[in-house]
């Protein structure tokens, strides 16, 4: 999922890096050498002692762990594409993580699209409230490794669905400006996002579907279908074989 370079930290689960003292846990991934490697090995007790005696090191460590999370996100999103260090630094500098308890909302339908998210741990439910009902309907479930809320950022629109945690969750939060910079700097990111979104929904045959045509961020004409009752928007990709739920 990622390649580590000299100066990177490895062996501490990055999803716990804001949680005070470090505790031994099971490894969550394999680390395999692809060349000659020399590394400094440090125990958990010595790590805790180091940070208690030298608090000035904490912001450096936090940034290193953010770099690892960002690398994981971009490696998954870009499916192995090469990313320049300047792009990584810009994204990592402005990202942070958010935690949700079960039944807590990440955002609600109608909110502004200020951030896109990448699920690091847990499951979330996608809820849509139709025009003629106040009861939200569950339309999809999102799990670890999926991007959430990116369409409102890409298309600069309001959220047209709510996201609620159905387990305890942790997500990487990418600000509006940095996410739009990422997809413009790396066109392959947009293709990967479309591919990942195509698995979110399996639409049913219903009457009264409304068809819209609009221009995408890169100036291409796209076909968008609108549900006649919930007014949920579904994008029809170029291949015509899959549907993409717009959040």
């Amino acid at each position: 999922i990622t390649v580590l370079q000299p100066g990177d930290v490895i062996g501490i689960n990055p999803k716990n890096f804001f949680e005070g003292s470090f505790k031994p846990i099971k490894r969550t991934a394999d680390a395999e050498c692809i060349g000659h490697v020399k590394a400094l090995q440090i125990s958990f007790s010595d790590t805790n002692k180091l940070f208690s005696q030298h608090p000035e090191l904490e912001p450096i460590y936090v940034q290193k762990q953010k770099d690892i999370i960002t690398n994981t996100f971009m490696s998954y999103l870009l499916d192995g594409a090469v990313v320049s260090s300047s792009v990584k630094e810009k994204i990592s500098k402005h990202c942070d993580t958010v935690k949700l308890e079960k039944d807590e909302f990440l955002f609600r339908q109608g909110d502004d699209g200020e951030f896109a998210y990448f699920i690091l741990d847990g499951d979330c439910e996608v809820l849509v409230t139709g025009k003629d009902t106040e009861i939200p309907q569950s339309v999809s479930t999102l799990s670890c490794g999926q991007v959430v809320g990116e369409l409102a950022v890409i298309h600069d629109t309001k959220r047209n669905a709510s996201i609620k945690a159905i387990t305890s969750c942790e997500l990487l939060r990418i600000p509006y400006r940095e996410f739009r910079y990422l997809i413009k700097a790396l066109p392959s990111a947009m293709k990967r996002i479309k591919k990942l979104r195509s698995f979110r929904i399996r639409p049913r045959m219903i009457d009264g579907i409304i068809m819209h045509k609009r221009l995408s961020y890169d100036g291409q004409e796209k076909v968008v279908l609108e549900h006649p009752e919930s007014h949920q928007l579904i994008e029809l990709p170029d291949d015509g074989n899959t549907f993409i739920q717009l959040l």
Side-chain angles (χ1 to χ4, degrees):
I1 58 172
T2 190
V3 176
L4 302 176
Q5 305 293 336
D8 287 337
V9 179
I10 186 173
I12 300 176
N13 193 335
K15 78 186 190 69
N16 295 320
F17 72 91
F18 282 125
E19 294 184 354
S21 62
F22 308 114
K23 299 178 181 179
I25 59 174
K26 298 293 185 181
R27 300 295 187 189
T28 58
D30 295 336
E32 180 179 346
C33 297
I34 54 177
H36 178 72
V37 174
K38 179 183 288 187
L40 173 66
Q41 178 176 289
I42 182 169
S43 68
F44 276 98
S45 59
D46 286 341
T47 301
N48 287 326
K49 186 183 299 183
L50 177 66
F51 281 94
S52 64
Q53 294 178 352
H54 300 279
E56 70 275 9
L57 295 178
E58 183 175 357
I60 299 174
Y61 168 72
V62 168
Q63 184 58 51
K64 287 293 184 182
Q65 294 304 311
K66 286 177 66 178
D67 291 343
I68 292 176
I69 292 178
T70 303
N71 285 341
T72 302
F73 159 65
M74 289 198 286
S75 295
Y76 184 84
L77 180 63
L78 301 176
D79 200 19
V82 177
V83 183
S84 69
S85 57
S86 61
V87 172
K88 288 182 180 181
E89 289 173 6
K90 182 176 179 63
I91 300 301
S92 178
K93 181 179 179 181
H94 296 90
C95 290
D96 61 355
T97 58
V98 294
K99 295 183 179 181
L100 301 177
E101 298 299 326
K102 182 181 177 181
D103 295 328
E104 187 177 355
F105 280 85
L106 178 64
F107 55 75
R108 295 180 183 271
Q109 189 171 335
D111 289 350
D112 292 329
E114 298 177 320
F115 300 94
Y117 300 86
F118 179 71
I119 302 177
L120 299 170
D121 188 33
D123 300 306
C124 294
E125 185 177 30
V126 182
L127 300 168
V128 175
T129 303
K131 184 177 181 180
D132 301 320
T133 178
E134 296 182 356
I135 302 175
Q137 302 295 318
S138 176
V139 297
S140 185
T141 300
L142 305 176
S143 303
C144 179
Q146 291 186 280
V147 182
V148 182
E150 74 284 357
L151 262 295
V153 174
I154 292 171
H155 297 289
D156 199 15
T157 60
K158 299 286 187 181
R159 307 286 191 192
N160 65 2
S162 300
I163 300 294
K164 185 177 75 170
I166 54 179
T167 65
S168 296
C169 294
E170 185 165 15
L171 306 95
L172 177 68
R173 180 168 60 185
I174 308 101
Y176 172 95
R177 185 187 300 272
E178 281 64 43
F179 194 83
R180 288 177 67 92
Y181 165 79
L182 177 63
I183 61 175
K184 287 181 180 179
L186 303 167
S188 58
M190 193 64 196
K191 295 179 181 179
R192 177 69 168 165
I193 287 171
K194 287 184 177 182
K195 183 178 179 180
L196 295 174
R197 292 201 320 263
S198 67
F199 297 102
R200 285 186 183 170
I201 190 168
R202 299 272 189 251
R204 297 169 296 169
M205 294 296 293
I206 55 176
D207 296 326
I209 288 288
I210 305 167
M211 181 180 292
H212 303 279
K213 290 186 177 181
R214 68 182 185 188
L215 294 179
S216 66
Y217 79 98
D218 55 0
Q220 297 182 358
E221 187 177 78
K222 297 293 181 182
V223 176
V224 177
L225 307 180
E226 181 180 348
H227 192 290
E229 298 174 357
S230 68
H231 299 283
Q232 178 185 359
L233 299 178
I234 307 293
E235 181 181 334
L236 184 62
D238 297 334
D239 59 18
N241 295 324
T242 56
F243 287 84
I244 297 173
Q245 179 183 345
L246 304 185
L247 300 182

